[in-house]
Amino acid sequence: MEKLVVERTAKLQELIEDLEHFSYTITHDMRAPLRAMRGFAELATLTFDKNEEEARELLHKVSASAERMDALIRDALNYSRSVRQVLPLEDVDTGALLGGMLDSYPELQPSRAHIHVEGDLPVVLGNEAGLTQCFSNLLENAVKFVKGGQMPDVRVWGEKREGWQPADGGD
């Protein structure tokens, strides 16, 4: 009986640690679209009288950021349901995924950072929510951690690894 209590306590502790990590990660990721919406709305307010078309474009980006927030919330709900399941893998167009992020993140806009996408990015087998989180964290950190007063300059590319095989030995 005592052994069973120890095993269950250890399993509960592991689940609590997983939930804490998940909570931190999702909170961090949900703040990005909110910052985007706030930044684009402020820019739209400042430019609306000067340039109506530019203001419309900024408001479109606010909308895109709200859609991204909704997707993050849906992903969080799906994740919480699937903690004990394998994440679904699907073909993900990383070029389209990255393009959407570059359009909707204020800190990745040309006025704030130079992001160079070199060549076509591949379609990969992966989990779109996980890849979004990964790309988001990498790009946001790349533009955040630069020498003061320096314009961030980031290069993004994809390459196929010859001879690479998934860990499960599949195709």
mmCIF file of all heavy atoms in Angstrom, residues 6 57 105 140 161:
data_model
loop_
_atom_site.group_PDB
_atom_site.id
_atom_site.type_symbol
_atom_site.label_atom_id
_atom_site.label_comp_id
_atom_site.label_asym_id
_atom_site.label_seq_id
_atom_site.Cartn_x
_atom_site.Cartn_y
_atom_site.Cartn_z
ATOM 1 N N VAL A 6 3.430 6.062 -2.761
ATOM 2 C CA VAL A 6 4.652 6.720 -3.232
ATOM 3 C C VAL A 6 4.618 6.874 -4.746
ATOM 4 O O VAL A 6 4.955 7.936 -5.289
ATOM 5 C CB VAL A 6 5.905 5.932 -2.770
ATOM 6 C CG1 VAL A 6 7.151 6.440 -3.473
ATOM 7 C CG2 VAL A 6 6.062 6.024 -1.266
ATOM 8 N N GLU A 57 -4.746 49.064 -42.747
ATOM 9 C CA GLU A 57 -3.820 47.923 -42.727
ATOM 10 C C GLU A 57 -3.444 47.556 -41.294
ATOM 11 O O GLU A 57 -3.392 46.384 -40.929
ATOM 12 C CB GLU A 57 -2.568 48.261 -43.532
ATOM 13 C CG GLU A 57 -1.594 47.108 -43.634
ATOM 14 C CD GLU A 57 -0.368 47.464 -44.456
ATOM 15 O OE1 GLU A 57 -0.495 48.189 -45.465
ATOM 16 O OE2 GLU A 57 0.716 47.003 -44.068
ATOM 17 N N TYR A 105 2.905 40.106 -36.009
ATOM 18 C CA TYR A 105 3.637 40.442 -34.791
ATOM 19 C C TYR A 105 4.243 41.834 -34.958
ATOM 20 O O TYR A 105 5.096 42.034 -35.819
ATOM 21 C CB TYR A 105 4.785 39.456 -34.558
ATOM 22 C CG TYR A 105 4.402 38.099 -34.033
ATOM 23 C CD1 TYR A 105 3.423 37.321 -34.660
ATOM 24 C CD2 TYR A 105 5.045 37.561 -32.936
ATOM 25 C CE1 TYR A 105 3.108 36.065 -34.193
ATOM 26 C CE2 TYR A 105 4.734 36.299 -32.469
ATOM 27 C CZ TYR A 105 3.771 35.560 -33.097
ATOM 28 O OH TYR A 105 3.466 34.305 -32.627
ATOM 29 N N GLU A 140 10.958 36.147 -31.489
ATOM 30 C CA GLU A 140 10.819 37.225 -30.507
ATOM 31 C C GLU A 140 12.104 37.409 -29.713
ATOM 32 O O GLU A 140 12.520 38.529 -29.434
ATOM 33 C CB GLU A 140 9.628 36.965 -29.589
ATOM 34 C CG GLU A 140 8.305 37.199 -30.290
ATOM 35 C CD GLU A 140 7.101 36.929 -29.414
ATOM 36 O OE1 GLU A 140 7.239 36.297 -28.342
ATOM 37 O OE2 GLU A 140 6.002 37.351 -29.810
ATOM 38 N N ARG A 161 17.762 17.761 -44.170
ATOM 39 C CA ARG A 161 18.876 16.980 -43.635
ATOM 40 C C ARG A 161 18.903 15.635 -44.337
ATOM 41 O O ARG A 161 18.008 14.825 -44.173
ATOM 42 C CB ARG A 161 18.706 16.762 -42.130
ATOM 43 C CG ARG A 161 18.656 18.021 -41.300
ATOM 44 C CD ARG A 161 20.013 18.610 -41.006
ATOM 45 N NE ARG A 161 20.971 17.656 -40.569
ATOM 46 C CZ ARG A 161 21.295 17.439 -39.295
ATOM 47 N NH1 ARG A 161 20.720 18.114 -38.345
ATOM 48 N NH2 ARG A 161 22.205 16.540 -38.992
#
